[in-house]
Amino acid sequence: MTEHLAQQVPYHQTSLPGLPPEHAPAVHAYADAFCTKSRDATDLAAQVLARGSRQHGPALRTALLADVRRTADSWLRDGRHGLLRPEFRDWSKRAADTFGPVDTLRRVEHSSVLLAAFEQLPDQQRAALWLCLAEPEETASAARTLNTTEEFALSLAQTARGRLVDTFLRVRADRTADPQCLRYGGMLGAIARGTHREAPADLRHHLDTCRFCARDLRLLRTLAVGGAEDVRRLVVDQVLVWGGAAYRKARSGDRGPTGEPGTPTAPPGAPSAPSEDGGLKPDGRRRRHPVLTVAVTVAVTAALTTGALRLLAGSDSAEGAERPRSTASASIAPSSVAAATSDTITLKSVSTGRCVTGPAGDASPGSGPSAADPVLAACDSGETQKWRVVPLTGGAVALVNVASEFCLDIAGYRVAGDGMQQRPCAYVQGSAAPFPEDQAFLPKAVAGDSFVLVCQDNPEIALGVRAGKLSMRTTTLTGKPVRFALDDGAANALGLGPGL
């Protein structure tokens, strides 16, 4: 056996109080797909499990696996990239070339319709589908997690499988611009399920010429009526984004070429690219449903995207190609922005007495990673410390730096500890904007003389200060680290009113 086999990792060393012990082997198996040496995989798994001990819910398994992937991705930038497998480093480089160097993994995750559909399932159905179908050896664990019998857990998994088909079709319709692809979307679902006996001639012709619909039909057939192993392969590979084959092999106890248990497995091969253009949001978050318009450049967009994702997949196959999308609209989507305003405010931290300052650097993709990151500096009333308030829907606001013309943006997954950055404003980009939730803040008055900026998408965190730097802090206690000075001008601009 080689040292990187998942079976060799000492699972018991990282089982933590409050975390169901059956999740640790799965986390270790997936961590091993990223790390060259088992001791590094153990460190990666321990880091994820330590955070996981504070999470709850039936869909904890897939949340932990997503955290493994994202933590490994963070190692690429914090000096530990040498601990990761060359295959993953190469895949990440190709992904950055395709999706851009900023928020690369999140954009890759955002490119899967199946992953978006999976994340939209109710927690119990998501847990049953994964534990019973993606990891069939875990049916007993599914029953314990769902507090039911194994028979009911299996039945719920089959229900979730059917619902995943429906959700995939709905997300597909939301994110497809080509009117022909939209026209045949519902028919693809009927054919995949076998309820439509024969495809009409015009649909057959469309499938001969549209690789996107042909690919989706194959995927839908697998989901709807495919065999157990085909469904397992599809769900694991799509939901995990990278390393699915290695995870399946480690978790199923596959035998090597000699037929002996524990025969060394090959390192993960060329990773598969995302196959659709959907998106993953952190567990439990609201999801953006972009408003798409039909563009005259659909064919050109499709050709360019197909080439890019072929490069990412390392294959000439049409598998993994993204379906055609509309050209991005530069207008403000009515569903995203209520109205614009010229009111400006200053964000003066109550805990430090310093002001949030936005350097007027280049915050576009491809620039240095911290070229335009906001910082705390001595208050000087300059334009770099003025933030224009743009009201969004639901009482939220975006904050635009007057000097840089970029928006204050959460650099991460909208969880406590995320840093802050400046990014092109989502309300300007409209449907083309990735992760507009990172720029939506709910202002709330505190004690009449201060206010907090709560993340609209995750009300458990708010903009604050930690160790002299801006970051998202927990809102459990509204202490000085998350409070900013509130004067009459700021109260009016933020819609808080005097004396609130």
Side-chain angles (χ1 to χ4, degrees), residues 256-281:
T258 64
E260 296 297 327
T263 300
T265 58
S272 60
S275 53
E276 300 92 23
D277 61 336
L280 172 65
K281 300 291 181 182

Side-chain angles (χ1 to χ4, degrees), residues 98-109:
T98 302
F99 292 93
V102 179
D103 295 333
T104 302
L105 179 60
R106 295 180 66 191
R107 292 173 184 270
V108 173
E109 293 173 342

Side-chain angles (χ1 to χ4, degrees), residues 411-430:
Y413 293 92
R414 297 186 292 283
V415 295
D418 283 348
M420 303 303 297
Q421 61 186 355
Q422 289 188 103
R423 296 282 294 145
C425 293
Y427 78 89
V428 174
Q429 298 178 74

Side-chain angles (χ1 to χ4, degrees), residues 403-475:
S404 69
E405 289 298 324
F406 290 111
C407 280
L408 189 64
D409 184 284
I410 301 172
Y413 293 92
R414 297 186 292 283
V415 295
D418 283 348
M420 303 303 297
Q421 61 186 355
Q422 289 188 103
R423 296 282 294 145
C425 293
Y427 78 89
V428 174
Q429 298 178 74
S431 63
F435 316 112
E437 301 91 341
D438 290 346
Q439 299 177 7
F441 300 93
L442 289 169
K444 296 185 178 182
V446 179
D449 60 352
S450 61
F451 69 97
V452 296
L453 289 169
V454 177
C455 173
Q456 184 185 40
D457 193 56
N458 179 11
E460 296 180 358
I461 58 173
L463 178 64
V465 179
R466 183 173 185 177
K469 295 182 179 181
L470 288 169
S471 68
M472 298 304 293
R473 304 292 304 274
T474 179
T475 54

Side-chain angles (χ1 to χ4, degrees), residues 97-171:
D97 292 341
T98 302
F99 292 93
V102 179
D103 295 333
T104 302
L105 179 60
R106 295 180 66 191
R107 292 173 184 270
V108 173
E109 293 173 342
H110 191 70
S111 70
S112 173
V113 168
L114 183 63
L115 183 53
F118 180 81
E119 286 294 321
Q120 290 185 28
L121 294 177
D123 284 356
Q124 289 192 333
Q125 290 191 11
R126 199 157 70 244
L129 179 62
W130 184 267
L131 294 175
C132 294
L133 301 185
E135 299 193 51
E137 299 85 359
E138 295 286 306
T139 302
S141 175
R144 290 192 299 272
T145 298
L146 300 172
N147 193 27
T148 186
T149 64
E150 292 187 27
E151 291 76 10
F152 185 82
L154 286 168
S155 175
L156 184 60
Q158 293 301 328
T159 300
R161 179 178 173 179
R163 185 163 182 173
L164 184 60
V165 172
D166 295 333
T167 308
F168 178 91
L169 288 168
R170 185 177 68 250
V171 175

Side-chain angles (χ1 to χ4, degrees), residues 53-411:
S53 64
R54 300 189 293 270
Q55 301 182 41
H56 304 282
L60 179 58
R61 173 70 59 84
T62 50
L64 290 170
L65 296 179
D67 197 17
V68 171
R69 178 175 63 250
R70 293 164 184 168
T71 303
D73 179 70
S74 71
W75 283 17
L76 291 170
R77 294 177 297 281
D78 68 1
R80 287 178 283 184
H81 61 278
L83 306 180
L84 300 169
R85 291 188 184 276
E87 297 90 348
F88 178 62
R89 299 200 304 267
D90 292 344
W91 178 84
S92 297
K93 183 179 184 302
R94 294 197 302 273
D97 292 341
T98 302
F99 292 93
V102 179
D103 295 333
T104 302
L105 179 60
R106 295 180 66 191
R107 292 173 184 270
V108 173
E109 293 173 342
H110 191 70
S111 70
S112 173
V113 168
L114 183 63
L115 183 53
F118 180 81
E119 286 294 321
Q120 290 185 28
L121 294 177
D123 284 356
Q124 289 192 333
Q125 290 191 11
R126 199 157 70 244
L129 179 62
W130 184 267
L131 294 175
C132 294
L133 301 185
E135 299 193 51
E137 299 85 359
E138 295 286 306
T139 302
S141 175
R144 290 192 299 272
T145 298
L146 300 172
N147 193 27
T148 186
T149 64
E150 292 187 27
E151 291 76 10
F152 185 82
L154 286 168
S155 175
L156 184 60
Q158 293 301 328
T159 300
R161 179 178 173 179
R163 185 163 182 173
L164 184 60
V165 172
D166 295 333
T167 308
F168 178 91
L169 288 168
R170 185 177 68 250
V171 175
R172 179 186 189 274
D174 288 343
R175 299 179 177 183
T176 302
D178 191 323
Q180 289 293 95
C181 295
L182 284 172
R183 174 188 174 191
Y184 294 118
M187 198 176 297
L188 294 180
I191 293 174
R193 288 189 171 100
T195 57
H196 199 295
R197 290 185 298 177
E198 184 178 354
D202 57 339
L203 174 57
R204 291 198 300 271
H205 175 72
H206 179 72
L207 292 174
D208 287 340
T209 58
C210 178
R211 67 187 63 191
F212 307 104
C213 288
R215 184 201 170 281
D216 284 350
L217 178 57
R218 292 194 296 271
L219 183 150
L220 287 165
R221 276 178 170 156
T222 300
L223 279 181
V225 298
E229 188 56 36
D230 290 335
V231 172
R232 178 177 186 245
R233 183 183 303 110
L234 174 67
V235 172
V236 171
D237 291 357
Q238 292 279 321
V239 171
L240 293 188
V241 180
W242 192 90
Y247 182 79
R248 284 187 283 107
K249 185 176 288 291
R251 293 294 287 157
S252 65
D254 283 357
R255 297 173 181 267
T258 64
E260 296 297 327
T263 300
T265 58
S272 60
S275 53
E276 300 92 23
D277 61 336
L280 172 65
K281 300 291 181 182
D283 191 31
R285 305 284 189 262
R286 290 186 295 276
R287 295 164 180 82
R288 178 169 66 100
H289 298 281
V291 180
L292 295 177
T293 57
V294 178
V296 295
T297 56
V298 164
V300 175
T301 304
L304 292 175
T305 307
T306 300
L309 290 180
R310 280 180 179 173
L311 173 64
L312 189 57
S315 169
D316 289 332
S317 169
E319 294 292 331
E322 184 179 356
R323 68 178 46 80
R325 300 188 62 178
S326 62
T327 301
S329 170
S331 62
I332 299 175
S335 61
S336 301
V337 179
T341 177
S342 59
D343 293 336
T344 62
I345 63 172
T346 299
L347 299 175
K348 183 178 181 180
S349 169
V350 172
S351 66
T352 67
R354 297 166 72 83
C355 289
V356 178
T357 305
D362 179 10
S364 60
S367 63
S370 60
D373 289 351
V375 297
L376 289 169
C379 299
D380 59 13
S381 301
E383 288 196 345
T384 59
Q385 295 181 353
K386 293 180 180 179
W387 298 86
R388 187 166 62 253
V389 178
V390 178
L392 309 177
T393 56
V397 299
L399 297 173
V400 186
N401 186 265
V402 172
S404 69
E405 289 298 324
F406 290 111
C407 280
L408 189 64
D409 184 284
I410 301 172

